[in-house]
Amino acid sequence: MSEVTIIGVDLAKRVFQLHGAHQDGSVAFRKKLSRGQFLAFVAQQPKCLIAMEACATAHGWGREFEKLGHDVR
């Protein structure tokens, strides 16, 4: 199967919900990660689009993901 091309993120204080999808829209993964696991997991993913809700912490996370080479929206 192809690599993950988009990751959708539901940001929260303690637990983050992630949904990864392939180019054809099929589910690559669904994950529930703690704050400590979140950035490390995203760093291991291939460069892709990361879509997040607009909230107070989204810009900070977006900058971290862009440093890893991801496209953030």
Side-chain angles (χ1 to χ4, degrees):
M1 177 113 347
S2 61
E3 291 186 331
V4 174
T5 58
I6 186 168
I7 299 173
V9 180
D10 181 17
L11 298 170
K13 288 185 178 183
R14 293 191 181 112
V15 177
F16 301 89
Q17 300 281 343
L18 282 73
H19 176 90
H22 298 289
Q23 183 69 35
D24 64 1
S26 62
V27 175
F29 61 80
R30 288 188 179 118
K31 296 259 183 207
K32 185 177 187 179
L33 300 173
S34 69
R35 180 174 289 275
Q37 299 169 318
F38 184 41
L39 190 58
F41 177 80
V42 173
Q44 295 174 355
Q45 299 306 306
K47 307 306 181 239
C48 63
L49 173 65
I50 298 180
M52 295 183 288
E53 61 187 314
C55 70
T57 61
H59 293 289
W61 285 114
R63 285 189 293 272
E64 293 299 318
F65 300 148
E66 286 176 341
K67 288 178 190 176
L68 297 171
H70 295 287
D71 181 25
V72 180
R73 306 243 170 106

